[in-house]
Amino acid sequence: MSTALLVLSLTSQGTANAAADDDVVQVDATSASTSVSAKAVTVNCPSGTKVVGTGGSVTGERTTITRVRPSGDLSSVEVAAVEHGAGTVLPWTVSVWARCAAGEFTLVAKSGTRNAEATCPDTQKSLGVAGEIAGADGGHFTRMSPKTNLKGGVVETSGNADVTAYAICGTRPGLVVRGGTTSIMMTKTGTKAVACQGGEQVVSAGGAVGGAIIDDVQPVGAGASVTGEATDAQGQAIRWSITPYVVCSQ
């Protein structure tokens, strides 16, 4: 299976304008639907805003995200995905989400083998978490989530390759992480969601799986969702777990 990465033309791209300094707006983009074995897609934040949260998803069987990476200046987000296992001959897509807000934010990166933890400086907190796996055969994401005290983000992979964790750090009023409740799954694939409360705004999404592969981590409506795929290649019933997270602000 070829693993050459191709940046594809977009089939759609959201547009948004920041109406106020405390607004969080969302933009998204989706690649063309093709059977190419590896692809990537990028979305840009509206003028005057920067990335505070990220998300990525894939369609099709035996496909998985391998990179959710904010640009160094936090103006954009790139999501890359590949086929895994036997791959697929059917067309599939990869999508990217960016949550954007006005303000000054810091991008912190930390690399490690199999797992990495990026820590926010001083009094800043982690608004969003992203990550990437080095190499085409570096395994699959099993965690991409904020720390419970919001002082950074943790990224883990099932393989032995190097992985980089990104934490988008800054300040916003009433930052809180919600979720963290683990559900046991007995199906080939499964999705769990978590919501912000009251009038809170969604800032970013996160998630973790046990005995599975993360397919999607994305902000959805008033919260976030995580989709996992059991690692059993034959799709037989297997016990695995999934844990969603969402970072919210007032």
Side-chain angles (χ1 to χ4, degrees):
M1 180 181 69
S2 170
T3 55
L5 186 65
L6 300 180
V7 179
L8 303 180
S9 61
L10 307 185
T11 58
S12 65
Q13 178 163 327
T15 58
N17 293 305
D21 288 346
D22 60 350
D23 281 348
V24 180
V25 296
Q26 182 168 304
V27 289
D28 58 84
T30 298
S31 73
S33 180
T34 70
S35 58
V36 175
S37 60
K39 56 189 71 173
V41 64
T42 300
V43 71
N44 297 302
C45 279
S47 177
T49 67
K50 294 184 177 181
V51 176
V52 293
T54 65
S57 70
V58 289
T59 60
E61 292 188 352
R62 295 183 294 276
T63 60
T64 184
I65 55 176
T66 56
R67 180 188 308 142
V68 182
R69 182 174 64 193
S71 62
D73 61 359
L74 292 175
S75 65
S76 64
V77 179
E78 179 193 42
V79 172
V82 299
E83 298 175 5
H84 64 86
T88 178
V89 298
L90 300 176
W92 58 281
T93 65
V94 57
S95 296
V96 57
W97 280 262
R99 300 284 293 175
C100 309
E104 294 298 324
F105 308 106
T106 303
L107 181 65
V108 179
K110 181 70 174 181
S111 296
T113 301
R114 299 198 67 169
N115 61 77
E117 180 177 317
T119 301
C120 289
D122 304 323
T123 59
Q124 295 185 24
K125 293 186 177 181
S126 176
L127 284 73
V129 179
E132 64 179 311
I133 302 170
D137 300 315
H140 313 283
F141 284 120
T142 57
R143 176 179 291 273
M144 192 183 300
S145 65
K147 297 179 66 175
T148 54
N149 62 1
L150 287 177
K151 285 303 296 176
V154 180
V155 173
E156 297 176 354
T157 177
S158 62
N160 289 315
D162 288 342
V163 62
T164 299
Y166 298 100
I168 302 167
C169 306
T171 58
R172 285 186 64 81
L175 273 179
V176 62
V177 59
R178 302 205 180 277
T181 300
T182 299
S183 299
I184 302 300
M185 311 298 293
M186 296 294 292
T187 55
K188 182 179 178 181
T189 62
T191 300
K192 287 295 178 179
V194 60
C196 292
Q197 297 180 6
E200 294 172 343
Q201 294 188 82
V202 178
V203 179
S204 66
V209 296
I213 297 165
I214 289 180
D215 283 335
D216 306 343
V217 178
Q218 57 181 291
V220 177
S225 73
V226 180
T227 299
E229 174 188 351
T231 53
D232 177 22
Q234 301 303 315
Q236 300 173 356
I238 186 171
R239 184 183 176 90
W240 59 283
S241 65
I242 187 168
T243 310
Y245 298 87
V246 63
V247 176
C248 311
S249 72
Q250 293 179 350

